[in-house]
């Protein structure tokens, strides 16, 4: 059974999300949008994503996870690259595809989408720092495990 670190899942993908965000901001600027528009759109999106991460009204409707289980004997922790790759789908890849579509006809929208990507990375880091480092989960079952030191 391959398990992912609840904290590491967000930390490993954060640099990729921020880098992709910057790529779309720069691409929007190259596509002809004004510097002010590009940075304002990106900053607004970063702020919005971080705000929504901590104030998501849908959270009360999500099912609560069951009790934390002890770390399984056959549990193997996924590599940081595997965890980052899994965290890219669907949010980061979806936002980047939309930004790629929008960059030429609507470069400010592409910058906004780049800000969403970067905001996902920033919010993930802040959220990860508030998460216990000994928690792991099985992405297939959604079960939480605690690894005793």
């Amino acid at each position: 059974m391959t398990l992912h670190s609840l904290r590491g899942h967000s930390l490993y993908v954060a640099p990729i999300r921020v880098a992709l965000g910057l790529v779309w901001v720069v691409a929007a600027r190259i596509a002809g949008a004004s510097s002010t528009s590009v940075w304002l759109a990106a900053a607004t999106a970063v702020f919005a994503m971080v705000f929504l991460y901590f104030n998501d009204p849908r959270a009360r409707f999500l099912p609560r996870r069951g009790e934390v289980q002890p770390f399984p004997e056959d549990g193997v922790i996924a590599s940081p690259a595997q965890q980052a790759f899994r965290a890219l789908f669907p949010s980061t890849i979806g936002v980047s595809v939309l930004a790629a579509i929008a960059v030429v006809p609507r470069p400010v929208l592409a910058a906004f989408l780049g800000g969403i990507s970067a905001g996902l990375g920033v919010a993930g880091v802040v959220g990860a720092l508030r998460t216990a480092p000994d928690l792991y989960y099985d992405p297939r079952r959604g079960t939480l495990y605690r690894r005793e030191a």
Side-chain angles (χ1 to χ4, degrees), residues 2-22:
T2 303
L3 303 175
H4 293 241
S5 167
L6 201 57
R7 175 183 271 186
H9 180 79
S10 294
L11 289 177
Y12 300 141
V13 75
I16 298 168
R17 287 176 170 166
V18 171
L20 279 172
L22 289 173

Side-chain angles (χ1 to χ4, degrees), residues 4 18 30 43 51 63 69 108-109 113 149:
H4 293 241
V18 171
I30 291 170
F51 180 81
Q69 306 293 321
V108 175
L109 176 58
L113 291 167

Side-chain angles (χ1 to χ4, degrees), residues 22-130:
L22 289 173
V23 163
W24 294 119
V25 167
V26 169
R29 186 72 181 100
I30 291 170
S34 73
S35 181
T36 305
S37 298
V38 164
W39 288 111
L40 185 59
T44 300
V46 169
F47 175 79
M49 289 310 300
V50 173
F51 180 81
L52 285 173
Y53 182 83
F54 291 106
N55 298 292
D56 189 356
R58 300 170 301 161
R60 64 178 171 223
F61 299 113
L62 295 175
R64 298 286 180 220
R65 295 185 190 251
E67 289 186 30
V68 177
Q69 306 293 321
F71 199 84
E73 298 276 332
D74 62 340
V76 176
I77 300 171
S79 72
Q82 289 172 319
Q83 292 184 55
F85 182 75
R86 183 164 179 93
L88 288 174
F89 296 96
S91 58
T92 307
I93 298 301
V95 167
S96 287
V97 167
L98 292 173
I101 292 168
V103 74
V104 173
R106 303 276 187 237
V108 175
L109 176 58
F112 184 81
L113 291 167
I116 287 177
S117 180
L120 287 170
V122 171
V125 168
V126 174
L129 296 176
R130 298 173 40 184

